[in-house]
Amino acid sequence: MFAVMGVTGQVGRAVANSLIDDGREVRVIVRSEAKAREWVARGAGFAVAAIENPAAMTEALAGVEGAFVMLPPTFDPSPGFPEARAMIAALRTALMAARPPKVVVLSTIGAAAPQPNLLNQLGLLEAALADLPMPVALLRAAWFMENAAGDMAAARETGVIASYLQPLDKAFPMVATGDVGRTAADLLLEDWQGRRMVEVEGPTRVSPNDLAAAFASALGRPVSAEAAPRDAWEATFRAQGMANPTPRAQMVDGFNEGWIEFGDGGAHARRGRISLDAAIGALVAGAPAPAHTAEA
């Protein structure tokens, strides 16, 4: 049996689905019994536990063949990332107590970047779990294609999406969450010793112009991308409700300036197979991206 966190989100859901489809026993970790119902209907077991509760998480992670763990995202963190630090400490305590035989940890491209930015939270996670006594695989994923969900209304209503990723013809490392989940499930079925780091991105890199073209194809109407002026980002982010927008802006700067990147430019990254058109088409249709297409 494999324990899987995050099944109410896209990556954790894809991990659990991949394992179940492969005939493996799965224990989903959820915050309430109600969130487990669809998984029970698929034959999965469940444990009710919040990451902030080390005792409950220890019980949820115990007695399994392996575990997929992740940090619930905090997109608007307080200065110094106290929210992430508290969750990381609790997760480490639970893993040390439960001792699953192997652990796959969802991390991110840019986790090792020393410059201040939003993804430093995942760098803190990697550092905290680096000396666990069981085999640990850090899965560093590229920018999620599904982040484009925030552009869907503008694409549909105005035909123009504002891009913070710039320049518009620059190809960025992106990946569909379905491919991230499938890769994590594959890793859980592998054997290794010590600590390993695995990168994953889509089959081809994606520019903002490519993203606009994918929306155009899915919506059946012209869609173009325009660069959001850098000096307006903070005001825009605050208008969206963010109290501390600086880390988000720093992260996007990192992608644009090239210091958030895989160590060798992705040369040794595992490649997904879900295409950009498939991922955006699924967003527009309101369905998860298919797991066995050619994605970017």
Side-chain angles (χ1 to χ4, degrees):
M1 177 177 286
F2 296 92
V4 180
M5 291 181 65
V7 295
T8 57
Q10 296 178 95
V11 175
R13 174 178 293 275
V15 177
N17 277 329
S18 294
L19 290 169
I20 292 170
D21 289 346
D22 194 51
R24 310 291 174 160
E25 292 186 45
V26 171
R27 176 192 296 159
V28 298
I29 301 174
V30 292
R31 287 180 175 267
S32 70
E33 186 171 345
K35 294 182 183 297
R37 287 173 186 157
E38 66 172 295
W39 298 103
V40 172
R42 293 204 63 199
F46 72 94
V48 176
I51 193 172
E52 299 88 353
N53 185 334
M57 282 297 297
T58 296
E59 186 173 349
L61 293 167
V64 296
E65 298 174 60
F68 171 77
V69 302
M70 59 179 289
L71 192 65
T74 304
F75 297 111
D76 187 18
S78 303
F81 307 120
E83 301 92 348
R85 291 179 186 276
M87 290 188 289
I88 290 167
L91 179 59
R92 176 184 165 81
T93 296
L95 287 168
M96 288 293 291
R99 303 288 177 110
K102 54 187 168 183
V103 180
V104 175
V105 183
L106 179 62
S107 187
T108 180
I109 186 173
Q115 297 92 332
N117 77 95
L118 188 65
L119 303 182
N120 293 154
Q121 296 175 95
L122 282 303
L124 294 170
L125 176 66
E126 288 191 1
L129 304 186
D131 63 346
L132 289 176
M134 72 286 291
V136 174
L138 304 171
L139 180 57
R140 290 183 177 175
W143 182 286
F144 292 163
M145 293 175 187
E146 287 82 0
N147 290 341
D151 298 316
M152 187 154 43
R156 192 189 302 273
E157 295 165 12
T158 71
V160 178
I161 58 176
S163 179
Y164 300 99
L165 294 174
Q166 302 166 16
L168 299 180
D169 59 355
K170 179 179 178 179
F172 294 89
M174 294 192 189
V175 67
T177 54
D179 277 331
V180 179
R182 179 181 52 79
T183 303
D186 289 346
L187 288 171
L188 283 170
L189 301 179
E190 296 176 9
D191 293 316
W192 73 94
Q193 295 298 317
R195 180 179 180 270
R196 66 191 295 203
M197 189 271 289
V198 178
E199 299 166 341
V200 60
E201 62 173 290
T204 61
R205 293 199 165 190
V206 175
S207 72
N209 287 335
D210 294 332
L211 188 59
F215 271 117
S217 177
L219 293 168
R221 64 156 298 167
V223 179
S224 62
E226 65 176 22
R230 178 63 178 84
D231 59 5
W233 290 6
E234 180 172 343
T236 300
F237 295 163
R238 289 190 184 279
Q240 293 170 350
M242 296 189 72
N244 182 29
T246 298
R248 177 183 174 189
Q250 291 169 327
M251 175 190 69
V252 182
D253 283 338
F255 279 97
N256 294 345
E257 295 168 11
W259 49 264
I260 290 182
E261 173 59 281
F262 290 131
D264 56 6
H268 292 89
R270 296 196 183 193
R271 295 284 171 171
R273 57 198 182 206
I274 302 175
S275 70
L276 178 64
D277 282 345
I280 298 304
L283 281 179
V284 170
H292 302 292
T293 62
E295 156 108 39

